[in-house]
Amino acid sequence: MTTTWDPALYLDFDDHRARPFHDLLARVRSAEPRRVVDLGCGPGHLTPVLAARWPGAVVEALDASPDMVDAARAAGVDARLQPAEDWTPAPDTDVVVTNAVLQWVPTHTELIPRWIAALPAGATFAMQVPGNFGAPSHALVRELAAEWERPIVLRGEAAAAEPAAYADLIAATGAAADVWETTYLQRLTGEDPVLHWISGTALRPVRDALGEEEYARFTARLAPRLRAAYPASADGSTWFPFRRIFAVARKA
């Protein structure tokens, strides 16, 4: 399943999307890595954080989306088009950071052990994925898609594994596993804020499957369901719980 991306829409919630990246990076202890890989760099807005932290390292920015790569290059990041499924770490890769990417890669639980095995001794592999595929924000989209007049292929709850599964996966490679989860309570504002939030991510496959008018009909039917699941507070804002799963592998 190929998904197209809108970098500008994705960046509408830059602060919310960036916070897990910084929380993940705080657990990476590498002092002077030779090569750092931003695997799934998106529009490149966080790649400079890696370059600033490790100014002596070669920083690689890779993404499977041509639109995201173009946006990253426009922002001054030397990004390269590279699907994660076909990527192999270079021999001097000491740090790999993959932020909110692997949930789009169905085979990622098979790839992670291979990537760790290919890394040199002392290297770190750090990942973060959403853990909210069972939440109403996703379940309601799948529910409506199942009612739709034509098939719409969507990711199910198994798009990301549970924390214990990632811990077992990493431990089986011989690397030290540091795995945790966090639920951020995000304050969203504006009209239909949860719909706007998922329009940049979870709804991208729906947008790709439907024409413009049909997509508008889909979101018009989805909006009241999301408003009921995520009612606005007295001040008009909406509190949106977002669970994230983090895993850091430190290779001996």
Side-chain angles (χ1 to χ4, degrees), residues 150-161:
R150 65 157 115 175
I152 302 174
V153 179
L154 298 176
R155 298 168 298 167
E157 291 189 46

Side-chain angles (χ1 to χ4, degrees), residues 170-221:
I170 291 168
T173 70
D178 179 9
V179 181
W180 72 99
E181 66 174 80
T182 298
T183 297
Y184 299 93
L185 193 58
Q186 299 175 334
R187 183 176 181 270
L188 305 182
T189 59
E191 185 177 357
D192 288 320
V194 176
L195 177 64
H196 186 47
W197 169 275
I198 66 173
S199 293
T201 51
L203 282 176
R204 297 310 300 175
V206 178
R207 182 67 185 87
D208 289 342
L210 306 179
E212 187 172 340
E213 291 185 8
E214 193 175 6
Y215 179 70
R217 286 197 293 112
F218 187 97
T219 54
R221 288 175 57 182

Side-chain angles (χ1 to χ4, degrees), residues 3-181:
T3 304
T4 59
W5 291 90
D6 182 338
L9 180 59
Y10 183 85
L11 289 173
D12 276 354
F13 296 97
D14 182 28
D15 182 58
H16 290 314
R17 300 194 195 283
R19 184 175 173 184
F21 174 88
H22 293 288
D23 289 349
L24 176 66
L25 207 58
R27 298 295 296 167
V28 178
R29 307 301 193 198
S30 299
E32 295 182 353
R34 294 164 294 174
R35 181 179 300 272
V36 176
V37 177
D38 188 355
L39 183 60
C41 65
H45 59 306
L46 295 172
T47 307
V49 176
L50 302 177
R53 176 165 173 181
W54 294 295
V58 174
V59 177
E60 275 190 272
L62 314 173
D63 203 277
S65 164
D67 293 328
M68 288 296 200
V69 168
D70 288 345
R73 289 174 177 169
V77 174
D78 185 19
R80 187 172 90 244
L81 189 65
Q82 175 67 71
E85 298 92 327
D86 302 327
W87 175 74
T88 300
D92 63 345
T93 301
D94 292 322
V95 174
V96 179
V97 178
T98 178
N99 182 62
V101 173
L102 297 184
Q103 72 275 14
W104 295 99
V105 182
T107 59
H108 74 267
T109 55
E110 300 171 20
L111 293 169
I112 290 170
R114 295 181 205 168
W115 291 334
I116 293 173
L119 293 172
T124 298
F125 175 86
M127 59 167 281
Q128 179 268 127
V129 290
N132 66 335
F133 292 99
S137 55
H138 287 67
L140 290 172
V141 174
R142 293 195 299 269
E143 178 185 283
L144 182 55
E147 299 169 6
W148 210 249
E149 49 261 37
R150 65 157 115 175
I152 302 174
V153 179
L154 298 176
R155 298 168 298 167
E157 291 189 46
E162 287 298 304
Y166 288 119
D168 286 341
L169 196 68
I170 291 168
T173 70
D178 179 9
V179 181
W180 72 99
E181 66 174 80

